[in-house]
Amino acid sequence: MLDMKLVTYPVWAAMTAMDLNLYLGDVDVTDDGFLRSAGAVKFTFPLRQDLPDIEKIALAWELKFAEFMKDANFTTVEFAYAISQSLSLELDKGTSGDIFYFSLTFTLMITYASIVSSGGDCVSTRALLANAGVLAALFGIMGAFGLITLLGVQFVNIVGVMPFLTLGIGVDDMFLLMGTWSETTALQDLSVPERMGHVFKKAGIGITITSVTDFLAFAVGSMSVFKSVRNFCIYTGMGVLLCYICNATFFGACLTFHGRRVYSSRHTITCKKLPKSRPELSQEGHKCCYICMCGGAPPKGPNDDQSLCEKGPKFALTRFVMWKPIRFLILIIFAGYLGVSIWGCTILRQGLDLKDLVLKSSYFYKYQVWDNHDFGVKLPISFVTTRVKDYRNDTTLQNIRLLLEQAHEDPMVDPLIDSCWLISLAKSQYYNTTSDEAFYSGLDGFLEYQPRFINDIVFGPNKTEITASRCHAYSYKVTDSNDQADLMTRMRDLADKSPADVFAYHAAFVYFEQYVAVLPSTLQTVGVTLAVMFVATCIFLPHPLIVVLVMVQILMIVTGIFGFMAIWGLTLSSVTMIHLIMSVGFSVDFCAHVCTAYIVSEETNREDRARDAIVHASGPILNGGLSSIIGVVVLLFTESYIFQSFFKIMLLVIGFGVLHAVFLIPVILSFIGPHAHVDLEDQNATQYSPSKHDAQAAPPAAITKYTNGDSAHRAPANGSAIESHVFSNKAFEQDSHLGYLPPITNGS
């Protein structure tokens, strides 16, 4: 039995200097430095992994050990345990609820889309059409998983958030397409194909900009040095691309069938033709239930098939945002937001605590908490050489001694503790350098006397040479991630400069790597992504002032995300780095919708055009943003740090993006926006132009101008030809069986 009065603390020099901080915690020490008691003790069982067969046995032993400790019941002590596989195994458990949460998210998204699009009557309602848009996003997600897995890209845990993100992007595009379709209702003389062309000419550029910029952002992220970031970006980038394709094809086809059904006055569920509208049924005295369920007609105005969720934002925001005092107040508020964001960037910390990666109910979480509290991170830093050397040579011994002496000069390294087989051998009676045979014979005797050094030496065949060896220095307790990264960097620099020809190693260095690389890698990736976004906006937004405005908004949003991450307690790590790359692409989305609506507006002054942009884009933006939040809100209720941090950053991205798009950008455009109008229609088609209308006499056709944000349309006067189309009234009659409009007659 060991007499505790003979044990000095923290260094016990029974046979050689030993740092008891590595093994004992919650200690009580006498005034003269002797150990009185300890409340925690740490046992470590090193297992061999030098051969493939032995490594398999060792890993199997670990699993059996974890299984045994899980069921163990010790009445006198509390215990926590961990194995080398604990982090990866528990991380898998932390994201194993993906299917359940995604199913719940999909259900919520279907419900929300149905409610938002439930305006109109049994004919004009777009509720089922909205469900088709959610399905289009689902098809894109499934296609991405199948294709990327088929290409052999490994599925990593962080990819589990990809469906939630991609579903929000796809539904956002769907709302924009449906909103534009609803606005084309004003163009009563257009056939379904022509309305589809109009929809994709106006909304197509919006969803193309958002999808292309998101895809490019993830394409840049796929070049990251972090495997988790790289694989996540590959999966998500393909998901965004396939969602865009599915919206343009599958949802476009569904939109076409919806238009044909509405033009034919058919019921949204049964597709049975309804001969009478709700007012007509009401005049005939039918019951309210019958009127609601069986009455309907094609919409006559641009907002007839829209719900309050779509109409409300347009009229409320145009009156509020464009009021001059409010415009100045918005600029002041966003200036304050920018100042707070910049301050937050200055306090943003780096690092990732391993315990945060697993569930709080996990045995590994308990182990990490206890280990950090009672023992901290005290690193036995190994200086390893993998080359054959002449260890009889005195120069080799002196180089090792010099290396350890230099390591002890580091402020984070304990100068009283080291462990080196060669130095200990040189101090012992077994050290004999007269010949190779004498040296290795003495080394065998030394290892029998000091078996703790056996794992520090690798012998060649027949033990005639040493092919690899290592010596150790021990750090103080290091808890801050930046300090851990600095210590690793200094030890590596020391090893590289040493003539001993060694490298520094510790198993935890693989985690410390991210602390060194995450900031420059994040800044580099975000910088490249911003450059790519600039090129993309230059291509899709043909006005330099608009491009500059969008880029400024992106920078403000990204700055806000960095700053509010710190305020919310998030740190910069390989996990949040993924979200930051994603945020750059997302920042373009809503801004592009408003800017596109502004440049295609046919109003003649800045305020009216900004108001027109709000009318056209606010509904889809707000509904798309809310749908994206619904897509990730269930992640808030998980225990996974990965999912919760993803939700927090998504909330910042969507919130800032919507606020900038709906409030700040229209205000800025109302003051300094360009006067130029960009026409997305076919230049050969006859169309309404405000400048021509104001400068010239009206042509022989009645002009009908709609102020709902859609392009004005030239409606034919009595007896006049339909100037803007190449087909005749007869063509309408021939195509009526396809669900097009009935024949147009004079006076229609």
Side-chain angles (χ1 to χ4, degrees):
M1 187 72 178
L2 179 65
D3 187 356
M4 301 292 281
K5 295 180 180 180
L6 301 179
V7 178
T8 57
Y9 186 87
V11 179
W12 183 37
M15 294 178 290
T16 185
M18 179 181 298
D19 185 2
L20 295 182
N21 278 318
L22 297 172
Y23 313 104
L24 300 177
D26 191 19
V27 298
D28 183 17
V29 184
T30 63
D31 294 337
D32 51 355
F34 287 91
L35 183 66
R36 181 181 290 124
S37 64
V41 61
K42 182 177 181 180
F43 298 102
T44 304
F45 302 95
L47 302 179
R48 290 182 58 188
Q49 298 184 20
D50 51 341
L51 297 174
D53 293 339
I54 294 179
E55 182 180 9
K56 291 180 181 178
I57 296 173
L59 295 176
W61 187 92
E62 282 188 348
L63 296 176
K64 285 294 183 181
F65 170 77
E67 184 179 345
F68 170 78
M69 295 300 293
K70 179 181 179 181
D71 299 329
N73 184 17
F74 301 106
T75 57
T76 57
V77 295
E78 283 190 87
F79 64 91
Y81 61 95
I83 59 177
S84 66
Q85 307 171 70
S86 291
L87 181 60
S88 60
L89 293 174
E90 293 303 298
L91 191 58
D92 288 336
K93 291 181 181 179
T95 55
S96 60
D98 288 358
I99 296 177
F100 168 75
Y101 288 116
F102 181 70
S103 300
L104 179 60
T105 298
F106 185 75
T107 303
L108 291 174
M109 199 73 80
I110 286 282
T111 304
Y112 176 77
S114 300
I115 294 174
V116 170
S117 308
S118 60
D121 51 35
C122 296
V123 171
S124 61
T125 182
R126 294 162 296 139
L128 291 182
L129 178 64
N131 293 342
V134 180
L135 284 176
L138 178 63
F139 293 155
I141 294 168
M142 295 171 60
F145 272 118
L147 179 59
I148 300 302
T149 304
L150 184 64
L151 295 176
V153 179
Q154 183 180 358
F155 180 92
V156 293
N157 300 95
I158 190 63
V159 176
V161 303
M162 172 269 210
F164 305 94
L165 170 63
T166 311
L167 185 61
I169 295 174
V171 173
D172 177 31
D173 291 345
M174 177 267 292
F175 276 121
L176 187 62
L177 289 170
M178 284 206 311
T180 308
W181 170 269
S182 179
E183 292 175 358
T184 60
T185 307
L187 309 178
Q188 289 290 334
D189 60 344
L190 293 187
S191 64
V192 172
E194 289 176 317
R195 286 184 67 183
M196 288 298 299
H198 191 85
V199 167
F200 279 104
K201 283 179 180 179
K202 290 205 69 176
I205 187 173
I207 67 171
T208 300
I209 291 175
T210 58
S211 299
V212 169
T213 52
D214 286 334
F215 174 77
L216 291 176
F218 291 117
V220 174
S222 66
M223 296 182 285
S224 171
V225 296
F226 295 101
K227 180 180 178 181
S228 59
V229 177
R230 185 168 60 249
N231 289 14
F232 170 81
C233 289
I234 292 173
Y235 273 93
T236 311
M238 183 56 65
V240 170
L241 181 61
L242 292 184
C243 271
Y244 171 72
I245 294 174
C246 289
N247 267 322
T249 55
F250 174 79
F251 182 69
C254 293
L255 195 58
T256 301
F257 283 114
H258 167 80
R260 292 183 176 183
R261 179 188 60 78
V262 171
Y263 277 12
S264 299
S265 296
R266 297 185 181 275
H267 197 281
T268 182
I269 298 177
T270 64
C271 290
K272 183 178 179 180
K273 194 173 183 65
L274 300 182
K276 296 182 179 180
S277 64
R278 287 181 176 179
E280 292 174 335
L281 293 177
S282 178
Q283 291 177 359
E284 294 178 1
H286 290 281
K287 294 182 178 181
C288 181
C289 182
Y290 180 81
I291 294 173
C292 292
M293 300 298 293
C294 300
K300 297 180 180 179
N303 297 316
D304 288 353
D305 59 349
Q306 293 188 347
S307 67
L308 184 62
C309 296
E310 296 172 289
K311 296 178 184 178
K314 299 179 180 181
F315 302 107
L317 289 173
T318 50
R319 294 176 179 271
F320 177 75
V321 175
M322 288 294 106
W323 188 31
K324 200 163 189 176
I326 295 298
R327 285 192 284 166
F328 287 107
L329 180 62
I330 289 173
L331 294 177
I332 295 172
I333 292 174
F334 274 90
Y337 145 83
L338 183 59
V340 173
S341 300
I342 294 174
W343 170 77
C345 292
T346 63
I347 62 172
L348 180 63
R349 297 186 300 109
Q350 298 182 58
L352 179 64
D353 197 334
L354 296 183
K355 74 178 188 305
D356 291 334
L357 292 177
V358 300
L359 304 179
K360 290 186 177 181
S361 57
S362 167
Y363 70 88
F364 186 69
Y365 183 90
K366 179 180 179 182
Y367 172 83
Q368 284 293 120
V369 171
W370 283 20
D371 190 44
N372 288 338
H373 179 268
D374 293 325
F375 302 98
V377 182
K378 292 181 67 69
L379 305 177
I381 303 168
S382 303
F383 294 101
V384 184
T385 179
T386 56
R387 297 191 182 187
V388 177
K389 293 183 178 181
D390 182 8
Y391 289 94
R392 294 169 49 208
N393 193 322
D394 187 60
T395 302
T396 302
L397 176 62
Q398 294 304 321
N399 288 338
I400 295 296
R401 280 178 174 166
L402 178 62
L403 173 65
L404 292 178
E405 289 173 1
Q406 292 174 339
H408 289 159
E409 293 175 0
D410 190 277
M412 291 186 184
V413 175
D414 191 336
L416 302 178
I417 305 295
D418 60 35
S419 175
C420 183
W421 66 273
L422 184 58
I423 295 177
S424 297
L425 174 63
K427 295 178 181 179
S428 71
Q429 60 182 344
Y430 299 96
Y431 190 58
N432 189 339
T433 59
T434 57
S435 65
D436 286 346
E437 183 178 354
F439 177 81
Y440 285 105
S441 176
L443 180 57
D444 286 340
F446 173 76
L447 293 178
E448 290 180 4
Y449 173 68
Q450 292 279 13
R452 65 191 180 95
F453 290 119
I454 290 178
N455 289 328
D456 292 338
I457 305 172
V458 178
F459 290 98
N462 302 322
K463 289 190 175 182
T464 57
E465 62 182 8
I466 297 175
T467 58
S469 69
R470 62 184 180 180
C471 293
H472 312 277
Y474 292 84
S475 74
Y476 290 117
K477 184 176 181 179
V478 186
T479 56
D480 185 77
S481 59
N482 291 324
D483 291 339
Q484 293 168 353
D486 291 342
L487 176 62
M488 178 189 69
T489 302
R490 289 198 300 271
M491 292 299 102
R492 286 180 171 176
D493 291 341
L494 179 62
D496 292 341
K497 296 176 182 178
S498 172
D501 191 21
V502 296
F503 62 88
Y505 172 80
H506 186 272
F509 283 2
V510 68
Y511 303 112
F512 299 168
E513 286 281 0
Q514 65 167 313
Y515 307 149
V516 176
V518 68
L519 180 59
S521 181
T522 300
L523 294 178
Q524 178 183 354
T525 306
V526 170
V528 174
T529 306
L530 288 173
V532 172
M533 296 301 102
F534 176 74
V535 174
T537 51
C538 286
I539 295 174
F540 290 105
L541 296 176
H543 197 286
L545 182 59
I546 294 295
V547 172
V548 171
L549 177 60
V550 170
M551 293 306 300
V552 170
Q553 299 307 306
I554 294 174
L555 289 173
M556 287 184 63
I557 293 172
V558 172
T559 303
I561 294 167
F562 272 94
F564 279 81
M565 274 178 57
I567 296 173
W568 209 337
L570 296 173
T571 59
L572 184 60
S573 65
S574 59
V575 174
T576 53
M577 176 185 172
I578 295 172
H579 307 151
L580 291 170
I581 296 171
M582 165 204 73
S583 68
V584 178
F586 249 73
S587 301
V588 183
D589 292 4
F590 300 130
C591 299
H593 292 334
V594 175
C595 290
T596 302
Y598 179 89
I599 62 177
V600 301
S601 172
E602 296 183 348
E603 298 295 341
T604 57
N605 62 72
R606 291 189 178 106
E607 288 190 26
D608 288 342
R609 297 185 73 186
R611 188 177 289 107
D612 209 12
I614 295 176
V615 169
H616 175 75
S618 61
I621 286 175
L622 291 173
N623 289 315
L626 187 56
S627 67
S628 297
I629 293 177
I630 291 175
V632 298
V633 71
V634 295
L635 302 181
L636 183 61
F637 304 101
T638 68
E639 291 186 76
S640 170
Y641 170 83
I642 294 176
F643 282 178
Q644 290 193 354
S645 62
F646 176 77
F647 166 77
K648 292 178 180 179
I649 295 183
M650 275 294 294
L651 187 61
L652 293 177
V653 173
I654 296 169
F656 291 157
V658 170
L659 291 175
H660 278 73
V662 175
F663 293 97
L664 182 59
I665 294 181
V667 169
I668 295 177
L669 289 172
S670 69
F671 287 116
I672 62 171
H675 289 290
H677 161 67
V678 178
D679 191 1
L680 300 180
E681 298 286 347
D682 184 1
Q683 297 301 316
N684 295 324
T686 303
Q687 43 193 299
Y688 173 75
S689 171
S691 59
K692 293 180 180 180
H693 172 70
D694 295 336
Q696 300 176 4
I703 303 297
T704 305
K705 184 172 183 293
Y706 298 90
T707 59
N708 64 333
D710 200 355
S711 299
H713 176 72
R714 188 186 303 279
N718 290 343
S720 64
I722 303 178
E723 297 179 351
S724 59
H725 308 296
V726 297
F727 52 86
S728 65
N729 187 43
K730 183 177 181 180
F732 269 114
E733 295 176 354
Q734 293 173 345
D735 292 337
S736 61
H737 68 284
L738 298 177
Y740 294 167
L741 282 173
I744 294 179
T745 59
N746 291 340
S748 61

